[in-house]
Amino acid sequence: PFYKGGKVQVNEKFIFCTCGSRVNILEISTGKIVHSIEQDDQEDITSFALSYDDEILVTASRALLLKQWDWKQAQCTRSWRAIHTIPIASMTFDPTSTLLATGGCDGTIKLWDIIKQYCTHNLKGSSGVVHLVHFHPDMSLLQLFSSSADCGIRLWDLRSSLCLCVLQSHFSAVTSLAFTASGDSMVSSGRDKICTVWDLKTRTATRTVPVYEAVEGVALLPEDQDLSQIGVQNHDLHFITAGSKGVLRVWEASTSRCVYTQTLPSATPPAGKEGGETHDGDDPRSLTYLLTMGASHRVAAVTAEHNITLYQLPALSTQQQFVGYNDEILDVKFLGKNDSHIVVATNSCQLKVFELLTNSCQILYGHTVCVCDKSVRVWRMDEDSGQVVCVAQGSSHANSVGCITFSRMKESFLVSGSQDCTVKVWDLPDNITTTTGDLVGLSARVTEKAHDKDINSVAVSPNDKLLASGSQDRMAKLWSLGAPGAPGAPGAGPALLGVFRGHKRGVWAVCFSPVDQVLASSSADGTAKLWSLQDYSCLKTFEGHDASVLKIVFVSRGTQLLTSGSDGLVKLWTIKTNECVKTLDAHQDKVWGLHASRQDHKMVTGSADSTITIWDDVTEVEQAEEQAKQEDQILKQQELSNLLHEKKYLKALGLAISLDQPHTVLTVIRAIRQSEDSRDLLERTLLKLRLDQKESLLRYCAVWNTNARSCLDAQAVLQVLLTHLAPEELLQYQGARGHLEGLIPYTERHMQRIGRLLQSSMFIDYMWQKMRVTGSSSM
């Protein structure tokens, strides 16, 4: 998630938006977050402002701290305490990018000189939270507009710090102001469902335009552009509004007439709201911000569901859409040719289709209450344009539809499972993939009460002849699908073949193997199981998750399983050995979505933590790297052998250390000690080593010294190092103190052992001398 509500600003290349304690900067062309600016104190950002020259970003946090950022480098250049007593609610720069105005929740407005770095004005008189501040576009006038809880628009003279007047027209919060290029007129919008046109010379309202919705943003249309496509037929003042109805509308100020209303994909009104009437704020499509991008003639709109859409003038056509926050992700699947897109289901009513290359999103409207509208919808993607449209709909379940699956060999039917405990088989018309007209109405070929509790998963076998279902009743069942595509034919409905019993809690997912006659299931009991389709017995049980196993899929041509769980983990299992060969930890909450690509080289996971992760299969890459590493080791071993043979000990020692093989280094040390003039040769060789090589050698000595067979070699190396290196230099080595402390007890033990051996040898020598003396006297 990069946007969870709050202020949004745009320029031609980037979108700036708040996300808790951060301001995320999204690059429009790639859809990627290029910078994330975060307060050091981890306090939430209450407001921010980007200067008109796009150079300076200032943030305000709940800790009453203002920070100035060089946002292109993500560096804080200055911070200072706001003089407000409670958090800042609004802020803006003047057109020259030298003055910053901050409106506080304490009812005061303060102006800051960004260049000279001091507070220039403290404007008092507003009642309640100052939620809007805006400079007059003509800075020679030195005027500031503000609005607070009393719904009036105050005009401040910055020369005298006095309020010149209060513009009264609105009876609810004023949400935005827009100025004409000359600065003579202004349009204000409010939640009282009106927009007001003001003459700033006379400071009077010249027209009140009823717009019949709570307006959150208003923007003036350019006068020098042909906008006839959106109903602009003259050069009079026209403006766009965005508000609770979720559509952009164009108004002609002189006649108070709406000349254009944007058309969005329709959705069936929620139950109980006849005629589609909704209360303000109920519609998730309602717009919260409207922003203009003058140079490129674009408009940006932000929805209540944290989606940001860019529209291109003159037609107000959708150019790009970005999803700031997905909330809880319930499922995710690859889509499109070569798996170029992913489709995401969340606890929102809409489906979201992301293009992986650009992160741009299509938002699909159709379902009204997530999956709880009891309907089944079929969507078609145009392979050339990538556009997705709804082509068919069916509604006959008595409760929420919890799972759905297509036929595998041909798009001839689909199967749905519901909380009403039934499974339905729906036939698809032959022309469904080519139809471009109205929605095709689907009717269920057959309905079967399959389980005693909610059905969580359904799966069709690769040959389209079998159906598996998994339920909260702790059972999975196998059904015969009869003759798909033959409605009404004998045997066309599901016939129960067998029941898979063994899970101790509800079954979350079932999946057929692509190559074997087995079924995989995952359960809330924390296990995954493989079942035989012949006798319905359990073949294998996979245990490793600490919580419910929510999804299971076959990968690697049916030789491995992927599972995801409530513990936030994804596990890869090798079926033959029952072994978990990999655990992937990238999520903080339940991993509801798990899907593998057609080529079996990627997978996608979606979690309740609102994150989607794309994974690449790097098995071949790792194997190639390991093989290259082994080949490199063989070559180096051969080179080392040659160097020892040629008695090039310094190069041999350096090569052995680079291999990080203590035993190989020990072999070189022994070769040096066995040569002629070994003491001086060892000393000359060791002192020519680099600092990092000496550090490694000291580490190896600590290991060698623990063994009686190699302790003499370790002591010989230590003697050279301790003789020629100062203690201060030795202690600078990484981990030197620990290595030296580890050397002491073993060295003392070796000394005691050698002392005992010396005593024993002296006794043997004494006995030998006595034996010789006795022997000679007897002769």
Side-chain angles (χ1 to χ4, degrees), residues 543-559:
E543 297 178 297
H545 285 279
D546 294 329
S548 299
V549 186
L550 303 174
K551 275 290 171 67
I552 187 166
V553 294
F554 283 90
V555 291
S556 305
R557 298 177 181 85
T559 61

Side-chain angles (χ1 to χ4, degrees), residues 34-290:
V34 291
H35 298 297
S36 188
I37 291 170
E38 186 166 13
Q39 299 273 131
D40 295 335
D41 52 17
Q42 300 293 308
E43 290 284 346
D44 282 355
I45 291 174
T46 58
S47 188
F48 73 92
L50 178 69
S51 62
Y52 277 75
D53 59 10
D54 294 335
E55 294 296 326
I56 302 171
L57 183 74
V58 175
T59 60
S61 72
R62 290 192 180 277
L64 303 180
L65 193 67
L66 287 165
K67 281 182 175 284
Q68 181 177 323
W69 302 83
D70 177 0
W71 63 269
K72 295 175 183 176
Q73 304 296 325
Q75 291 180 347
C76 179
T77 56
R78 177 190 167 217
S79 63
W80 69 98
R81 299 291 299 180
I83 314 172
H84 294 278
T85 56
I86 48 180
I88 292 170
S90 58
M91 58 200 305
T92 187
F93 274 93
D94 77 317
T96 66
S97 301
T98 58
L99 284 178
L100 175 73
T102 58
C105 296
D106 55 4
T108 65
I109 302 168
K110 298 187 179 1
L111 268 70
W112 309 85
D113 189 317
I114 294 297
I115 306 300
K116 297 180 181 177
Q117 303 183 356
Y118 70 98
C119 181
T120 62
H121 297 73
N122 184 20
L123 308 178
K124 297 181 179 179
S126 301
S127 58
V129 176
V130 181
H131 56 260
L132 178 66
V133 285
H134 205 299
F135 284 95
H136 192 287
D138 184 359
M139 276 309 291
S140 63
L141 298 178
L142 282 177
Q143 292 179 347
L144 178 75
F145 295 84
S146 70
S147 182
S148 58
D150 61 4
C151 308
I153 302 171
R154 282 178 167 75
L155 174 57
W156 302 87
D157 179 15
L158 300 183
R159 290 187 175 88
S160 61
S161 296
L162 296 176
C163 178
L164 297 177
C165 66
V166 180
L167 306 178
Q168 295 284 2
S169 171
H170 293 278
F171 299 95
S172 184
V174 178
T175 52
S176 68
L177 304 175
F179 296 84
T180 58
S182 63
D184 295 337
S185 299
M186 175 183 76
V187 178
S188 62
S189 67
R191 297 192 181 118
D192 51 4
K193 304 185 179 183
I194 64 168
C195 289
T196 304
V197 182
W198 302 89
D199 185 335
L200 295 182
K201 289 183 177 180
T202 61
R203 299 169 189 168
T204 58
T206 60
R207 184 166 291 276
T208 298
V209 181
V211 294
Y212 311 108
E213 67 171 329
V215 182
E216 297 292 336
V218 64
L220 299 186
L221 286 171
E223 298 176 1
D224 58 347
Q225 194 176 359
D226 179 12
L227 300 174
S228 57
Q229 295 184 58
I230 53 174
V232 178
Q233 303 297 335
N234 54 49
H235 293 292
D236 291 346
L237 182 65
H238 290 75
F239 58 89
I240 306 175
T241 58
S244 57
K245 290 188 176 179
V247 294
L248 300 181
R249 295 195 287 172
V250 178
W251 300 82
E252 188 176 59
S254 60
T255 62
S256 300
R257 186 168 57 94
C258 178
V259 296
Y260 175 81
T261 300
Q262 190 181 37
T263 303
L264 290 180
S266 61
T268 308
K273 296 186 178 176
E274 297 179 2
E277 292 181 2
T278 60
H279 297 291
D280 287 348
D282 285 353
D283 192 340
R285 294 195 235 185
S286 62
L287 302 176
T288 57
Y289 282 94
L290 181 65

Side-chain angles (χ1 to χ4, degrees), residues 335 341-343 351-355 360-362 364 381 388:
L335 185 70
H341 295 67
I342 55 172
V343 57
L351 291 173
K352 300 180 177 75
V353 179
F354 291 89
E355 184 181 12
S360 184
C361 178
Q362 296 175 59
L364 307 181
M381 171 180 270
V388 181

Side-chain angles (χ1 to χ4, degrees), residues 451-511:
H451 291 271
D452 296 327
K453 291 186 178 180
D454 299 359
I455 297 174
N456 294 325
S457 178
V458 287
V460 174
S461 63
N463 62 3
D464 284 351
K465 292 183 178 179
L466 300 175
L467 170 70
S469 59
S471 167
Q472 284 296 106
D473 62 8
R474 300 181 294 180
M475 289 186 289
K477 292 184 179 182
L478 186 68
W479 309 81
S480 169
L481 281 174
L496 183 63
L497 297 178
V499 179
F500 304 99
R501 292 183 174 90
H503 283 296
K504 297 177 181 177
R505 298 186 68 182
V507 177
W508 276 114
V510 289
C511 181

Side-chain angles (χ1 to χ4, degrees), residues 319-627:
Q319 188 187 51
Q320 283 177 283
Q321 293 185 93
F322 301 100
V323 176
Y325 181 53
N326 282 306
D327 207 357
E328 187 169 354
I329 294 168
L330 303 179
D331 206 357
V332 61
K333 291 283 191 295
F334 281 105
L335 185 70
K337 192 176 182 180
N338 299 322
D339 298 319
S340 58
H341 295 67
I342 55 172
V343 57
V344 180
T346 69
N347 52 0
S348 155
C349 304
Q350 293 82 43
L351 291 173
K352 300 180 177 75
V353 179
F354 291 89
E355 184 181 12
L356 294 179
L357 193 61
T358 64
N359 285 349
S360 184
C361 178
Q362 296 175 59
I363 300 171
L364 307 181
Y365 296 93
H367 291 285
T368 52
V369 196
C370 199
V371 293
C372 303
D373 62 2
K374 309 172 189 176
S375 73
V376 171
R377 284 179 177 263
V378 179
W379 305 80
R380 178 177 60 83
M381 171 180 270
D382 185 288
E383 290 189 356
D384 296 325
S385 67
Q387 293 298 311
V388 181
V389 294
C390 186
V391 293
Q393 178 187 11
S395 301
S396 62
H397 276 290
N399 211 327
S400 302
V401 180
C403 52
I404 194 165
T405 186
F406 262 102
S407 52
R408 303 281 294 276
M409 298 183 71
K410 185 183 178 183
E411 293 85 2
S412 57
F413 68 94
L414 59 89
V415 181
S416 61
S418 168
Q419 290 181 10
D420 61 12
C421 306
T422 66
V423 167
K424 291 181 182 287
V425 181
W426 311 73
D427 284 313
L428 299 178
D430 293 335
N431 63 342
I432 197 168
T433 58
T434 58
T435 182
T436 57
D438 297 333
L439 283 182
V440 174
L442 299 179
S443 58
R445 180 212 309 169
V446 68
T447 300
E448 183 74 31
K449 185 181 183 303
H451 291 271
D452 296 327
K453 291 186 178 180
D454 299 359
I455 297 174
N456 294 325
S457 178
V458 287
V460 174
S461 63
N463 62 3
D464 284 351
K465 292 183 178 179
L466 300 175
L467 170 70
S469 59
S471 167
Q472 284 296 106
D473 62 8
R474 300 181 294 180
M475 289 186 289
K477 292 184 179 182
L478 186 68
W479 309 81
S480 169
L481 281 174
L496 183 63
L497 297 178
V499 179
F500 304 99
R501 292 183 174 90
H503 283 296
K504 297 177 181 177
R505 298 186 68 182
V507 177
W508 276 114
V510 289
C511 181
F512 283 98
S513 168
V515 292
D516 296 318
Q517 293 192 14
V518 295
L519 179 78
S521 65
S522 62
S523 167
D525 62 11
T527 67
K529 291 180 181 288
L530 277 186
W531 308 86
S532 168
L533 299 183
Q534 304 296 327
D535 57 9
Y536 317 115
S537 62
C538 180
L539 302 175
K540 288 178 181 287
T541 299
F542 302 89
E543 297 178 297
H545 285 279
D546 294 329
S548 299
V549 186
L550 303 174
K551 275 290 171 67
I552 187 166
V553 294
F554 283 90
V555 291
S556 305
R557 298 177 181 85
T559 61
Q560 292 182 307
L561 285 171
L562 275 170
T563 58
S564 64
S566 295
D567 50 11
L569 301 178
V570 177
K571 290 181 178 288
L572 177 65
W573 309 82
T574 297
I575 293 174
K576 187 175 181 180
T577 61
N578 264 48
E579 181 186 4
C580 176
V581 294
K582 196 86 170 179
T583 298
L584 307 172
D585 186 2
H587 294 288
Q588 307 301 318
D589 208 336
K590 301 179 183 69
V591 183
W592 287 110
L594 173 68
H595 191 230
S597 64
R598 290 185 185 92
Q599 284 78 25
D600 224 13
H601 67 294
K602 285 185 179 181
M603 75 164 177
V604 59
T605 54
S607 168
D609 64 7
S610 186
T611 60
I612 302 165
T613 308
I614 310 290
W615 306 82
D616 272 322
D617 184 354
V618 294
T619 306
E620 293 182 359
V621 176
E622 289 182 347
Q623 288 175 348
E625 289 176 352
E626 183 63 29
Q627 185 176 352

